[in-house]
Amino acid sequence: MAEKSSSQVRFAENIDLATIEQVRDIEKEISTLFPLVGELECVESLLHDYASDDQVYQNKLKDLFHRYSHLRRTRGDGNCFYRAFGFKTLEACLVDSELLERLCDVATSTKNKLVALGYSSYTVEDFHETFMDVLEIAKKEKNLQEIIKVYNEQGYSDYFVVFLRLMVSCYLQENEEFYSAFIEGHTNMKDFCSQEVEPMAKESDHIHIIALTNILKTTVQVEYMDRGGHKDSVNHHNFPDDGSKPAIYLLYRPGHYDILYPRGET
């Protein structure tokens, strides 16, 4: 095969640079238009997201409106599940000191376990420190607007999400024997976590939700807004499905999660 000429190499490099710049411009535009976590809005705003003559979704929206009053949108960047879960947990921590302490304990325990698993202590401690800084803000300020402000700062928010991902990775590796049946196509749990859990912008599946709810001993109810199930109601599933009252409610639309607030909660 003939070697590329210097002009061909320069052309390829220019194309790569142009692509990178284009991606950065798109990311900048998205960050301007869509905050990482939005302000509270009436759930009826979802009407703008669906065609008025689509009877299936219109019926499902009515069911959703009957049970929920508000939602908080998250940016669709592949981290929306962790972003939504993390924010709603912080919001709950403002009034639940036991949850806050449990989260602090789990974070410190996870940091130590990750180092024992062979992760770089320097890297893990960096993410852990920022995670704990955000928890400290929640503990001291007890102010939702302050949490919204901090959570929408890319540095804080992304580090918080990274550490939540590391929590899931650590938990799954510790419980590999039980969860190995969920990771088809991967040689082992570490391989699965390094490819499907730890990377930012990697979308989440049920195994991630199960892991986080088990880690924090909390219950999440996910409302599935799609064409599946009954045509007049929204399917939902609880993690874990043990009859306990959900602490977090999420709206799932194919590829994306937002936060829901039941009627009477806000």
Side-chain angles (χ1 to χ4, degrees):
M1 183 179 293
E3 291 186 3
K4 292 182 180 179
S5 67
S6 59
S7 61
Q8 287 176 312
V9 171
R10 285 196 299 274
F11 176 76
E13 289 175 346
N14 289 337
I15 289 294
D16 288 342
L17 289 173
T19 301
I20 291 171
E21 284 301 317
Q22 184 180 29
V23 170
R24 286 175 178 168
D25 288 342
I26 292 171
E27 289 176 344
K28 185 176 181 181
E29 182 180 359
I30 290 174
S31 68
T32 302
L33 296 174
F34 304 101
L36 295 171
V37 175
E39 294 289 341
L40 205 64
E41 56 185 274
C42 290
V43 72
E44 285 80 7
S45 66
L46 289 169
L47 284 168
H48 302 298
D49 299 354
Y50 298 93
S52 59
D53 59 352
D54 190 325
Q55 203 56 52
V56 172
Y57 276 120
Q58 290 302 317
N59 289 342
K60 292 195 173 194
L61 285 172
K62 289 178 183 178
D63 172 52
L64 203 68
F65 298 165
H66 179 71
R67 295 182 289 116
Y68 297 93
S69 60
H70 292 81
L71 84 155
R72 199 182 292 275
R73 298 176 189 262
T74 64
R75 187 184 297 174
D77 59 2
N79 300 305
C80 53
F81 164 69
Y82 287 97
R83 198 89 65 185
F85 183 99
F87 181 86
K88 193 62 184 78
T89 300
L90 284 172
E91 190 174 11
C93 283
L94 296 176
V95 294
D96 188 343
S97 58
E98 288 186 9
L99 174 60
L100 180 58
E101 290 304 317
R102 187 161 72 248
L103 190 54
C104 289
D105 291 343
V106 168
T108 300
S109 174
T110 297
K111 179 196 71 171
N112 296 333
K113 290 175 180 177
L114 286 167
V115 173
L117 284 170
Y119 287 72
S120 164
S121 60
Y122 177 81
T123 303
V124 171
E125 286 173 5
D126 194 23
F127 290 120
H128 174 258
E129 182 178 347
T130 302
F131 189 87
M132 297 301 287
D133 286 345
V134 175
L135 295 185
E136 187 63 23
I137 291 170
K139 186 175 183 179
K140 284 186 175 180
E141 300 295 334
K142 295 189 180 298
N143 184 299
L144 180 58
Q145 288 306 311
E146 188 65 25
I147 294 299
I148 293 172
K149 176 184 174 183
V150 170
Y151 209 73
N152 273 302
E153 292 183 19
Q154 194 87 44
Y156 276 113
S157 196
D158 282 355
Y159 269 46
F160 197 87
V161 167
V162 167
F163 200 75
L164 286 176
R165 287 181 175 277
L166 288 173
M167 280 185 177
V168 171
S169 178
C170 182
Y171 176 84
L172 291 176
Q173 289 182 66
E174 281 193 310
N175 297 276
E176 179 173 4
E177 184 177 352
F178 181 80
Y179 290 101
S180 59
F182 297 90
I183 59 167
E184 291 183 11
H186 296 272
T187 55
N188 53 48
M189 186 60 77
K190 183 157 184 67
D191 176 58
F192 172 80
C193 289
S194 66
Q195 294 182 38
E196 305 294 337
V197 179
E198 295 170 10
M200 287 290 278
K202 199 71 176 180
E203 292 185 2
S204 305
D205 205 344
H206 286 178
I207 189 172
H208 305 82
I209 306 176
I210 292 168
L212 262 184
T213 54
N214 283 337
I215 292 165
L216 295 181
K217 308 301 181 189
T218 190
T219 300
V220 172
Q221 181 165 310
V222 180
E223 301 281 353
Y224 293 92
M225 192 68 172
D226 54 30
R227 294 189 180 278
H230 197 278
K231 65 178 182 179
D232 293 329
S233 59
V234 182
N235 288 340
H236 67 261
H237 186 78
N238 286 12
F239 302 87
D241 189 12
D242 60 2
S244 56
K245 178 178 171 54
I248 297 173
Y249 296 85
L250 301 178
L251 173 65
Y252 176 80
R253 291 179 280 178
H256 187 70
Y257 290 89
D258 290 313
I259 305 168
L260 284 170
Y261 294 81
R263 291 198 172 277
E265 183 176 303
T266 54

